[in-house]
Amino acid sequence: MRVVAGRCRGIALRGGHGPQFRPTAQVVKGSVFDTLYGRVQDVSVLDLFAGSGSIGIEALSRGAARAVFVEQDQKILRALKTNLDRCKVADQAEVVRGDAMKYLERIIRSKKTFDIIFADPPYASRLSREIAAAISSAKRKVCDLLITESGEEYDIAKGGCLEKIRTRKFGQTVVTYLEYIEEGK
C-alpha cells in the first residue's frame, strides 16, 4: 500500500492486520482522486473510518490543506500516526480516536463543515447509507462532497441536501459520490 501521487508519491504506508482491516485498493484510490482532479487543492478533508489513513494522506499529498482522521481501533491508530509521520504531513492532520458515527453527529450539531468527507465503513454494515442520510437530512451544508466506499449500491432519499452524482464499481467495492445541493434546487 503506497501513496499514489503528489508530494508523498511512492511512500509505503503501514497497515493493520485482522478481519476488521480492509485497506482501499490502489486502483480504487487512484480512480477516486483522478475523478476529483484539482478539487482537492487547499480543502479540508474528513476521513471517517480512517484505518491506516491512506485516503486522507492521499488527499494531503495532492494538496489538501488539512485532514481529520477518525478511527477507533488503537492498534490501527498507531499505524495511522506512523504513516502521517512517514509522509511528513502530521502538522496538517488531526487524529481523533472514537466512533465515526458519533463524531459525525457532533460535526452536524456543531455546524462545522468540510469540503470533502470520505467514509469507508465495514462493508457488512449499512453505515455508508446511514452516513449519507445523516448528512443529507442535516438541513445544512456539512460538506461539499461526500464519497463513500461500500459493498453495495444505495440511493438517497429526495428532499435532503445531498444528491448522488456518480457511482463506480470495482469488483465488490462500490464508490458513491454525493454532492451538496442548495435548498430549493
Side-chain angles (χ1 to χ4, degrees):
M1 181 172 49
R2 295 185 178 279
V3 179
V4 176
R7 67 183 173 149
C8 306
R9 181 181 183 192
I11 296 176
L13 300 177
R14 188 172 160 220
H17 301 286
Q20 296 288 33
F21 184 74
R22 178 197 35 77
T24 299
Q26 293 290 95
V27 69
V28 174
K29 183 168 55 170
S31 175
V32 165
F33 283 94
D34 286 348
T35 300
L36 292 174
Y37 294 115
R39 243 182 126 164
V40 164
Q41 293 296 311
D42 299 318
V43 300
S44 62
V45 171
L46 174 59
D47 188 352
L48 295 172
F49 304 93
S52 65
S54 174
I55 293 289
I57 290 171
E58 189 73 38
L60 291 171
S61 178
R62 292 177 185 237
R66 62 182 280 282
V68 175
F69 298 83
V70 182
E71 175 58 52
Q72 68 181 22
D73 186 290
Q74 186 60 40
K75 289 179 186 175
I76 294 175
L77 274 172
R78 279 194 291 271
L80 168 59
K81 290 176 182 176
T82 297
N83 291 335
L84 291 168
D85 289 337
R86 191 177 282 176
C87 294
K88 297 178 176 56
V89 294
D91 60 328
Q92 295 173 265
E94 178 185 345
V95 177
V96 176
R97 181 180 183 199
D99 180 89
M101 291 302 291
K102 288 180 182 171
Y103 183 81
L104 179 61
E105 289 167 9
R106 282 197 310 269
I107 290 298
I108 291 170
R109 282 193 313 271
S110 75
K111 307 288 190 226
K112 189 173 184 176
T113 63
F114 288 89
D115 296 297
I116 302 172
I117 297 178
F118 295 99
D120 183 10
Y123 282 9
S125 73
R126 297 176 64 88
L127 289 174
S128 288
R129 181 186 309 258
E130 291 176 31
I131 290 165
I135 292 172
S136 188
S137 65
K139 301 299 183 207
R140 72 167 189 90
K141 183 178 180 179
V142 177
C143 61
D144 289 322
L145 185 65
L146 169 64
I147 301 171
T148 65
E149 188 177 326
S150 61
E152 66 178 1
E153 250 189 274
Y154 63 88
D155 288 316
I156 189 155
K158 302 283 186 213
C161 61
L162 287 181
E163 177 178 64
K164 183 162 61 166
I165 58 170
R166 184 177 194 169
T167 300
R168 296 273 324 265
K169 291 184 183 182
F170 302 87
Q172 294 181 354
T173 300
V174 178
V175 178
T176 305
Y177 299 76
L178 301 118
E179 194 163 37
Y180 173 77
I181 53 171
E182 295 286 335
E183 195 172 334
K185 288 190 177 182

